[in-house]
Amino acid sequence: MRVLKAGYEILTPISENGIKELQHIERIGRVCYKSEDKITDDGESAKKFVKMLIANGHEAMIEHGTLSVLFTVDRGVSHEMVRHRIASFAQESTRYVNYSKEKFGNEITVIDIENGICGDGKMKNTDADKIGEIHAEWLDAMRDAERHYMKMIACGASPQIARSVLPNATKTNLIITANYREWRAFFKLRTAPSAHPQIREVAIPLLAELQKKIPVVFDDIRAYENA
Ligand SMILES: Cc1cc2nc3c(=O)[nH]c(=O)nc-3n(C[C@H](O)[C@H](O)[C@H](O)COP(=O)(O)OP(=O)(O)OC[C@H]3O[C@@H](n4cnc5c(N)ncnc54)[C@H](O)[C@@H]3O)c2cc1C
């Protein structure tokens, strides 16, 4: 059994300083105001314009920008992610993938709960020994699940039947493609202190990276700072 940390990879190429992405929105949005004459090559007009759109709630214009992100998370987190209805998804299938095969190392992969525990406000007073005990118990449960899964496959069960014993912690790859407006909604909900600590584990660093790479679009989202 493999134990992995959660992570993500931004699949959509982002231009240097994210200016082209803003200029694309500016080009489209200025049609509304017939202010195309105000476009400047250096991207400064685009920054100002997109900032104005967001401040005025004219977010329909930022739907013209999209991003695809590949997440490596557990199936519990992926279940929360796929509730975002305005996004498009592609997810590793537990119906077709057979983890008993050589190419998966004849083992299941699970996402470690360690970072989730650290980020869980309700567990912040739990002492280190108890956390060690909780983690050891979890590992035991994961190994049990793996053993049952492999045995069922060995007895002739198809992966789509044997998957019934796979835990929520099973690692999955999930790609989300969404427009910037939807990503903003996603980040507001999924970086907030009320969100699950394991979705925050990927949502907070992804938001921080996008804030560095694309100016303006995500700058006002600071939900994670209210922890
Ligand atoms: C802290 C937290 C706890 C949660 N707990 C539960 C739970 O216990 N049980 C549960 O079932 N779910 C739960 N959820 C999931 C939640 O109900 C939503 O499914 C999820 O957060 C997606 O939110 P959304 O619908 O706003 O987003 P999206 O589906 O991404 O939609 C984005 C936005 O588009 C608009 N929109 C989308 N669809 C419609 C529509 N049909 N009509 C009008 N406007 C629309 C809305 O403005 C919406 O905010 C929880 C979510 C959070 C963040």
Side-chain angles (χ1 to χ4, degrees):
M1 182 183 78
R2 279 211 306 154
V3 180
L4 269 191
K5 295 285 183 211
Y8 69 85
E9 182 190 344
I10 299 170
L11 298 183
T12 305
I14 298 173
S15 69
E16 204 177 331
N17 304 321
I19 291 301
K20 284 202 168 69
E21 286 70 12
L22 291 198
Q23 285 176 326
H24 178 66
I25 296 167
E26 179 187 31
R27 176 70 190 85
I28 290 164
R30 283 199 186 275
V31 167
C32 302
Y33 306 97
K34 293 318 294 167
S35 59
E36 293 97 328
D37 55 305
K38 298 214 168 110
I39 295 175
T40 60
D41 288 341
D42 62 2
E44 286 310 308
S45 66
K47 283 190 202 163
K48 226 170 112 188
F49 184 74
V50 174
K51 199 169 183 171
M52 177 279 291
L53 291 175
I54 291 170
N56 291 348
H58 193 180
E59 291 200 25
M61 293 304 107
I62 66 168
E63 291 172 15
H64 293 279
T66 61
L67 273 175
S68 297
V69 179
L70 164 66
F71 290 96
T72 301
V73 289
D74 75 16
R75 295 209 48 112
V77 168
S78 76
H79 193 75
E80 297 186 1
M81 289 176 162
V82 299
R83 294 294 297 274
H84 290 276
R85 291 163 287 178
I86 324 289
S88 305
F89 304 96
Q91 180 165 19
E92 172 178 341
S93 168
T94 49
R95 290 189 63 204
Y96 306 122
V97 171
N98 181 344
Y99 299 112
S100 76
K101 291 258 157 89
E102 198 60 43
K103 73 191 251 197
F104 302 105
N106 321 100
E107 61 186 352
I108 66 165
T109 302
V110 292
I111 297 293
D112 202 349
I113 53 167
E114 198 181 356
N115 290 339
I117 292 173
C118 295
D120 189 331
K122 290 184 183 129
M123 292 180 74
K124 68 172 182 250
N125 296 324
T126 311
D127 67 54
D129 285 353
K130 279 280 166 225
I131 288 188
E133 237 177 87
I134 290 164
H135 198 265
E137 194 62 34
W138 173 76
L139 273 173
D140 263 5
M142 297 303 106
R143 285 193 200 99
D144 279 353
E146 179 182 57
R147 185 170 52 78
H148 290 300
Y149 176 86
M150 296 303 169
K151 182 103 186 263
M152 285 173 76
I153 298 266
C155 290
S158 60
Q160 67 181 353
I161 295 301
R163 78 168 184 185
S164 173
V165 296
L166 290 176
N168 259 343
T170 304
K171 165 249 155 194
T172 190
N173 279 146
L174 173 70
I175 295 165
I176 304 184
T177 300
N179 64 52
Y180 293 164
R181 187 183 201 177
E182 177 64 1
W183 279 114
R184 282 173 55 79
F186 175 91
F187 288 127
K188 283 179 195 169
L189 290 173
R190 303 308 185 178
T191 64
S194 52
H196 192 284
Q198 286 180 278
I199 201 166
R200 296 185 87 214
E201 185 184 351
V202 286
I204 292 174
L206 172 60
L207 171 60
E209 186 172 344
L210 290 174
Q211 284 172 335
K212 277 196 201 118
K213 290 190 163 157
I214 305 174
V216 181
V217 175
F218 302 102
D219 283 1
D220 59 319
I221 305 169
R222 301 267 161 203
Y224 54 91
E225 285 176 358
N226 301 322

